[in-house]
Amino acid sequence: MTLPSTMSERNSRRAFHTFWWWTWASLIFLYAVMYFVTFAHLVIGNEAAGDGTAVRVYGTVQLVLLVVSALTTFKTSLRFRSGWPDDGPTPWHTVAAVGVAPLLLALSSWGNDDGGLAPLLPFWLAVSHIAGLLPKPGRWRLFWAGLALVVAIAAVFRILYPGAAWWVELESTRGTSDSLFAITYGILIPAVVLGSVWWWDAIVRLQRGRAAERELAVARERLRIAADLHDIQGHHLQVIALQAELAERLVQRDPAGALEQIGKVRLAASEAMGETRAVVSGLRQVGFATEVENAADVLGAAGIDCTVHGWGHELTGAPREALGWVIREASTNILRHAQATRAELKLVETGEDVTLTVTNDGVAPRASGNSESEADDMDSSGLLGLRRRIEQLGGRFEAGARGDEFVVTATVPVEAVAARSVESAVGRGVQA
C-alpha cells in the first residue's frame, strides 16, 4: 500500500528540519561565545603571568584543551537531534570524550591566578551539554555532581589565591563585579543549553506523535478494508452458494430455472469482484435501495417470506451507507445461520433519527437451552463491525434474540456525518 504525500506533510517535515538547524545554530553560537570569552581571558591572563618558557607551555596546553573541548561539544551537539533519551545506559564514553578536556582545563586554573576562573566556563558548559545527552536516570545526578565539582574547583582557587580576581578585567567589562559574572554565566549556560534541548525534545515528541498517528491511520484503513471485504465476500459467497445449490436441484426437473440460477451466480460473482475492486480503491458506496431490493430477492429465493415496510424515499449520506451495511450483514446471517421461514425489514424515520429493524423467526426459544445461532451472530466479526460503524456515527446498535425471533436494530441520526478521520489522514485515495 502506498499513500500519497500531501503538501501539508511536506511542509511539516520542512519546518521540522528548519527548526532543528535553527536550534542547533543557536546553541553553537552560545558555545562559540563562551569559548571566545574563555580564550580572551586565557590569552590576557598568560600575558600578565610573564614571558617565560613555562608560562608559554602552560598557556599552550590550556589553548589545546580549549580547542579539544570546543570540538567535542560541537561534534556531539548533533546528537541532540534525536531528542532527550528517557532511559537506557549512561554513555560513559560520551561523558569521558566531552568532559575530560574541560575538566583538565578547569583544574588548570589552580596553576595561574592571572587567568582567574575563566577555565571553569568550558567545564560548566560541558556539564550542561552532557546532561542534555544522558537518559533520565543519570541526567540530573551528573548535572548536580558537575555543579558541586565546579563549586569545589572555585573554592580551591579562592583558597590558593585569596586576593586574586575571579575574572580577568577586560575593557568591555571594566567595573563589573565578579559575583555578577558568576551569576550570569552560572545561570545562563544551563538555562540556554538545557532549555533548548528540552524545547527541541518536545518538538521531536510531537513529530513522533504525528508519525504514530499516520501509522495508526494506515492501520485503521487496513482494518476498514478488511471489514468491508469480509462483508462483501461473505454476502456474495453466501448468495452464490445458495443459487448454485438451487441450480443443482433444478437441473433435472427445470433446466431453464437452473440456467437462470447459473446466470445469477455469474452476475453475483461479477458484482463481488467489482465491489472488491471498489473497496480497495476506497471508492465504494453502498446504495440503500439496492441493498433492500437485493436482500428481499435473495431471502425470497431461499424460500423465506420477506416483507419490507417503511421505504418511501431514498436515504442519503452516512445513514444510507451505514444502514445499507446493516441490511447486507443481517440478510447474510439469516441465510448462513438461521432456519428462518419469515423475515421483516422495517425502516422508521422520526425526524432526527432513522431506525432499521431486521427480524427473522429462525432462532430457537431460549427455553430450549440451545442458542448457538444467537451466539454465532452476536460473536461474528460482521455484527461487531456494524456496531462500530453505527456508534461512530453517534447511533445505537442492538442484536439479539427476543422470544422466538432474532432482531437486529440500528439507529443513526439523519444528519450524521460519516467518520472519515482515517481517510482524511491518509488522503482520499488508497492505492494497493
Side-chain angles (χ1 to χ4, degrees), residues 272-311:
M273 289 188 294
E275 291 185 1
T276 300
R277 284 192 294 267
V279 163
V280 173
S281 63
L283 300 176
R284 185 175 188 273
Q285 290 186 347
V286 181
F288 190 62
T290 302
E291 293 295 349
V292 175
E293 182 181 354
N294 289 342
D297 289 343
V298 170
L299 293 174
I304 300 172
D305 181 18
C306 182
T307 57
V308 179
H309 302 285
W311 267 271

Side-chain angles (χ1 to χ4, degrees), residues 45-294:
N46 287 320
E47 288 180 351
D51 195 27
T53 303
V55 173
R56 288 197 298 269
V57 172
Y58 195 79
T60 302
V61 171
Q62 284 185 317
L63 293 179
V64 169
L65 291 175
L66 180 64
V67 171
V68 173
S69 301
L71 293 178
T72 53
T73 51
F74 288 161
K75 180 179 179 180
T76 54
S77 64
L78 294 172
R79 299 186 187 180
F80 290 144
R81 183 162 190 168
S82 59
W84 225 338
D86 288 327
D87 50 26
T90 301
W92 292 111
H93 61 284
T94 301
V95 174
V98 178
V100 169
L103 177 59
L104 294 177
L105 182 59
L107 294 175
S108 71
S109 61
W110 295 346
N112 181 8
D113 61 332
D114 293 310
L117 289 174
L120 273 178
L121 286 179
F123 179 66
W124 184 225
L125 180 64
V127 170
S128 302
H129 180 87
I130 293 172
L133 297 172
L134 294 183
K136 185 177 294 184
R139 179 185 308 158
W140 297 112
R141 288 199 299 267
L142 184 138
F143 178 80
W144 295 118
L147 176 60
L149 191 55
V150 168
V151 173
I153 293 174
V156 171
F157 177 84
R158 297 301 294 173
I159 293 174
L160 294 176
Y161 309 106
W166 289 19
W167 314 100
V168 175
E169 192 173 78
L170 304 177
E171 284 293 335
S172 59
T173 61
R174 191 179 303 276
T176 304
S177 65
D178 291 343
S179 59
L180 180 60
F181 268 117
I183 293 174
T184 301
Y185 288 135
I187 297 176
L188 175 66
I189 291 176
V192 174
V193 175
L194 298 181
S196 298
V197 175
W198 175 85
W199 178 253
W200 173 248
D201 180 70
I203 301 298
V204 170
R205 292 179 187 275
L206 286 175
Q207 189 73 1
R208 290 173 180 170
R210 290 171 62 89
E213 183 180 2
R214 289 193 293 269
E215 293 176 1
L216 181 60
V218 172
R220 287 176 176 170
E221 183 68 8
R222 288 172 178 170
L223 290 175
R224 183 193 68 82
I225 293 175
D228 289 353
L229 289 176
H230 168 271
D231 294 340
I232 291 171
Q233 299 298 335
H235 172 77
H236 284 292
L237 289 175
Q238 184 67 33
V239 171
I240 290 172
L242 174 63
Q243 292 172 337
E245 182 180 353
L246 291 175
E248 184 180 13
R249 294 177 181 177
L250 294 173
V251 166
Q252 297 298 329
R253 66 174 186 270
D254 188 4
L259 287 176
E260 181 182 356
Q261 295 299 321
I262 292 174
K264 290 182 178 180
V265 168
R266 180 180 59 79
L267 291 176
S270 299
E271 184 180 356
M273 289 188 294
E275 291 185 1
T276 300
R277 284 192 294 267
V279 163
V280 173
S281 63
L283 300 176
R284 185 175 188 273
Q285 290 186 347
V286 181
F288 190 62
T290 302
E291 293 295 349
V292 175
E293 182 181 354
N294 289 342

Side-chain angles (χ1 to χ4, degrees), residues 283-292 311 313-328 347 349 354 356 386 389-390 393 412-418 420:
L283 300 176
R284 185 175 188 273
Q285 290 186 347
V286 181
F288 190 62
T290 302
E291 293 295 349
V292 175
W311 267 271
H313 62 278
E314 176 69 73
L315 292 177
T316 59
R320 177 192 65 181
E321 182 176 356
L323 296 182
W325 282 113
V326 173
I327 290 179
R328 178 187 293 271
L347 182 72
E349 186 172 354
V354 179
L356 170 67
L386 288 179
R389 290 175 186 271
I390 299 301
L393 297 176
V412 295
V414 174
E415 302 298 331
V417 178
R420 294 299 186 189

